[in-house]
Amino acid sequence: MTHRDPHAILATPDVRLPARARSGGPLSFAELSARERVAHLLDAGTFTEILGPAERVVSPHLALLGVPYSFDDGVVIGSGTLNARPVLIAAQEGEFMGGGVGEVHGAKLVGILRRALQTRPAAVLVLAESGGVRLHEANAGLIAVSEVMRALLDVRAAGIPVVMLIGGANGCFGGMGLIARCADHIVMSDTARMSMSGPEVIESSHGVEEFDSRDRALVWRTTGGKHRFLMGDCDRLVEDDMDAFRAAATALLGDSCALTLQGLLAEHALLTERIERFGDCHDALEIWQRLGVAHPEQVTDMEAAQMQSLLNDNAMERA
Amino acid sequence: MNWQTLVQALFGAAHTIERNGDVLSGTAQLQGQTLAVVGTTDHAPIGVETALAQAKVILETVQHHPGRPILLLVDTQGQRLRHRDELLCINRYMAHMGCCVDLARRSGHRVIALVYDQALSGGFITSGLMADTCHALPEAEIRVMRLPAMSRVTKIAEDVLAALSLSNPVFAPGVENYVAMGGMASLWRGDLQASLLAALADEDTTDQRAALGAQRGGRKLANAVTQRVLAA
């Protein structure tokens, strides 16, 4: 497979205009490609890619279906340093098949996780942006998601933290939402989303009354970063800003929380209580109110730092 | 096969497995050893409660019966597709179930899964696919999506998909495809009890699925790619 193949595309353009250079403001995580995110997250110039586009490790299944494939199969992996400490990193490219996990994509994720057991970095950082299993190679993707989960939990058990950074426009859904919740830590931007089934899938299954996928505010407050943060489903909430993600990831280096029986019993109690406390709520606004947020309707307009002080000031018990 | 027939074939009368809603749980005796059994039936949609109920059985087994083997019985239509489940962060509940299976394995429990009816997408990832080894009955159905739906989503003609699926196990539904790809260790035919005993006797607890997929020719790249990343 060569450059001349009409179905081959480079999924991760290296030359999108740097947003900060254009505007002078913060560099948006959401607007960058996977490869750019990696470059801006790590210490400048330290990233070494493994199985990069030049290696042409592509999905044979997409080619067979006559569907465009990518020279990196939609995921960038490698090593570098963050704040001068060694890390391994993986970044999914949401612009290519929605970040969907196929055979090669999944095997690259498994590989970088297993590599952590050899090199013992200060963390494995996963910049997740994915709709979950890639339907064009669904069976391989489904198995791969569980292989990634098992490999991730091996890394976690070895005392090496796995940190999920979620901030892409496609969110973190399906199998990738499962993988994310197996990690030691999750950092989300306030514009990011994490969930299981997409709103469109739920709407097509149970009707628009069940979940109106075109109601953007509803979708956001059901699956968005602020709701996940208030509930404790993500550990840190940041602005859509590469510097903020970098600071959050730096703070979590070496911060491992191994899975233990005690830990899982506590998680079980928390999840049981959550259903008792909020199982009858029909909307996130009701949940936020019950959590003790004085003005739930104002949450939409709050900045990430305000959200953190909301938790601190109210000594809110997340659930 | 319905769950009562299955359990009868596996254990005769030597079990306490009961159905509670869509969830099956109990213990069973097999050649002098006690097994914990947990699973679902009636093509259960896996919602927050169903995930939690199964996780509970596994956690209690780890807590009170160190080393007791666990059998997961899989029959699911996948994750429950409801707004309420998403609001409560269903992926956290399902991941919790998966983490409990992982903890059990790590704590020295042999975990065997059997797809005895239907296994679809998300509900399957965090149960059967997290076991030491996953097996299926030949008549079971395993898939993410049927070909007509896949054809709509991928915008590739159904007859094209059907033709390709004859030679490539990667997208078409079917237990044989999952066996070829290494996702299923084996199909259980004939004497189910003997199959279970053989699965329990296998002591390998590492994830061999990618290597198995390469060996069987159904998933040729996964193992090689992972090895290349390790060797880089």
Side-chain angles (χ1 to χ4, degrees), chain B residues 43-59:
Chain B
H43 307 346
I46 308 298
V48 293
E49 291 87 356
T50 330
L52 213 48
Q54 293 183 86
K56 183 166 187 249
V57 177
I58 294 163
L59 278 179

Side-chain angles (χ1 to χ4, degrees), chain A residues 50-51 55 57-61 64-67 77 103-104 106-108 110-112 114-116 118 133 135-147 149-151 153-157 172-175 177-182 194-198 201-202 205-206 210-211 218 221-223 227-228 231-234 259-262 264-265 267-268 270-275 278-284 287 319, chain B residues 48-49 51-57 59-60 62-63 79-96 98-103 105-106 119-126 129-133 142-145 149-150 153-156 160-161 164 167-174 177-178 181-184 205-211 218-232:
Chain A
I50 298 172
L51 297 192
E55 309 262 353
V57 182
V58 304
S59 165
H61 314 300
L64 199 65
L65 293 170
V67 170
I77 60 169
E103 178 175 355
V104 171
K108 286 175 80 175
V110 170
I112 201 71
R114 292 219 185 125
R115 193 177 170 89
Q118 297 175 346
V133 170
L135 288 176
H136 300 77
E137 36 193 298
N139 299 342
L142 193 72
I143 299 168
V145 166
S146 69
E147 288 172 330
M149 283 173 68
R150 281 184 63 170
L153 291 168
D154 283 343
V155 175
R156 195 171 167 182
C172 177
F173 283 88
L178 298 174
I179 290 167
R181 278 303 322 173
C182 290
M194 172 180 71
S195 219
M196 187 66 208
S197 307
V201 175
I202 295 176
S205 177
H206 288 103
E210 176 70 25
F211 202 165
L218 173 69
R221 66 179 185 268
T222 305
T223 66
H227 178 53
R228 296 304 183 216
M231 295 289 270
D233 300 327
C234 74
L259 275 186
T260 60
L261 174 61
Q262 291 314 312
L264 284 177
L265 286 170
E267 172 79 355
H268 198 86
L270 181 152
L271 294 177
T272 305
E273 193 195 327
R274 175 181 288 192
I275 295 177
F278 306 110
D280 61 334
C281 290
H282 297 285
D283 195 291
I287 294 183
Chain B
V48 293
E49 291 87 356
L52 213 48
Q54 293 183 86
K56 183 166 187 249
V57 177
L59 278 179
E60 284 176 351
V62 175
Q63 195 174 13
Q79 70 271 19
R80 189 160 64 194
L81 300 173
R82 291 289 183 181
H83 173 264
R84 172 179 175 270
D85 290 280
E86 300 300 335
L87 196 58
L88 294 170
C89 199
I90 182 175
N91 51 309
R92 181 167 179 174
Y93 284 78
M94 294 174 74
H96 172 62
C99 288
C100 289
V101 175
D102 191 82
L103 176 82
R105 286 196 298 102
R106 229 171 268 286
L120 267 59
S121 60
F124 181 37
I125 291 176
T126 54
L129 288 177
M130 293 300 284
D132 282 311
T133 54
I142 305 176
R143 64 179 149 87
V144 175
M145 201 177 253
M150 190 172 288
V153 175
T154 61
K155 301 186 173 56
I156 296 165
V160 172
L161 289 176
L164 285 171
S167 58
N168 188 340
V170 80
F171 48 83
N177 287 340
Y178 279 81
M181 289 186 304
M184 290 294 126
T205 58
T206 56
D207 192 344
Q208 293 296 327
R209 292 174 292 179
R219 203 159 48 118
K220 294 176 184 150
L221 273 177
N223 197 48
V225 169
T226 295
Q227 294 307 323
R228 278 184 71 178
V229 177
L230 289 174

Side-chain angles (χ1 to χ4, degrees), chain A:
Chain A
M1 291 160 198
T2 70
H3 265 300
R4 290 185 300 277
D5 190 314
H7 293 305
I9 58 164
L10 264 175
T12 52
D14 298 319
V15 288
R16 283 189 212 176
L17 273 180
R20 176 149 50 190
R22 282 200 307 268
S23 64
L27 196 54
S28 160
F29 184 106
E31 287 176 21
L32 297 180
S33 70
R35 200 162 275 109
E36 289 170 325
R37 287 170 190 165
V38 169
H40 288 286
L41 190 83
L42 300 180
D43 298 339
T46 65
F47 178 59
T48 304
E49 187 164 353
I50 298 172
L51 297 192
E55 309 262 353
R56 303 284 190 271
V57 182
V58 304
S59 165
H61 314 300
L62 296 179
L64 199 65
L65 293 170
V67 170
Y69 56 86
S70 158
F71 291 143
D72 55 18
D73 206 36
V75 64
V76 177
I77 60 169
S79 62
T81 67
L82 176 60
N83 206 24
R85 298 181 68 187
V87 294
L88 292 179
I89 191 164
Q92 296 176 302
E93 176 53 62
E95 294 282 310
F96 178 69
M97 313 223 76
V101 179
E103 178 175 355
V104 171
H105 184 119
K108 286 175 80 175
L109 290 173
V110 170
I112 201 71
L113 288 161
R114 292 219 185 125
R115 193 177 170 89
L117 299 175
Q118 297 175 346
T119 66
R120 297 203 64 90
V124 181
L125 309 174
V126 182
L127 285 62
E129 181 175 3
S130 176
V133 170
R134 183 188 295 168
L135 288 176
H136 300 77
E137 36 193 298
N139 299 342
L142 193 72
I143 299 168
V145 166
S146 69
E147 288 172 330
V148 173
M149 283 173 68
R150 281 184 63 170
L152 190 159
L153 291 168
D154 283 343
V155 175
R156 195 171 167 182
I160 301 159
V162 181
V163 179
M164 309 295 299
L165 304 169
I166 304 172
N170 289 282
C172 177
F173 283 88
M176 209 60 212
L178 298 174
I179 290 167
R181 278 303 322 173
C182 290
D184 295 69
H185 306 283
I186 299 178
V187 178
M188 292 178 75
S189 71
D190 58 356
T191 53
R193 290 170 298 136
M194 172 180 71
S195 219
M196 187 66 208
S197 307
E200 296 82 4
V201 175
I202 295 176
E203 181 183 319
S204 69
S205 177
H206 288 103
V208 70
E209 306 78 19
E210 176 70 25
F211 202 165
D212 183 351
S213 65
R214 282 185 291 186
D215 185 340
R216 292 176 64 95
L218 173 69
V219 170
W220 176 84
R221 66 179 185 268
T222 305
T223 66
K226 283 177 178 167
H227 178 53
R228 296 304 183 216
F229 178 67
L230 284 174
M231 295 289 270
D233 300 327
C234 74
D235 310 278
R236 285 165 188 255
L237 186 73
V238 297
E239 296 295 326
D240 177 23
D241 171 4
M242 282 310 306
D243 287 343
F245 272 102
R246 185 179 149 88
T250 303
L252 293 167
L253 291 177
D255 186 0
S256 154
C257 39
L259 275 186
T260 60
L261 174 61
Q262 291 314 312
L264 284 177
L265 286 170
E267 172 79 355
H268 198 86
L270 181 152
L271 294 177
T272 305
E273 193 195 327
R274 175 181 288 192
I275 295 177
E276 288 160 10
R277 274 178 86 186
F278 306 110
D280 61 334
C281 290
H282 297 285
D283 195 291
L285 288 165
E286 283 176 64
I287 294 183
W288 301 344
Q289 186 150 37
R290 236 175 250 188
L291 272 168
V293 177
H295 300 284
E297 72 286 355
Q298 293 174 5
V299 165
T300 313
D301 299 321
M302 285 184 185
E303 292 182 359
Q306 290 175 289
M307 294 292 292
Q308 184 61 55
S309 46
L310 189 67
L311 278 191
N312 299 343
D313 297 349
N314 295 348
M316 203 178 277
E317 194 184 335
R318 298 199 290 183

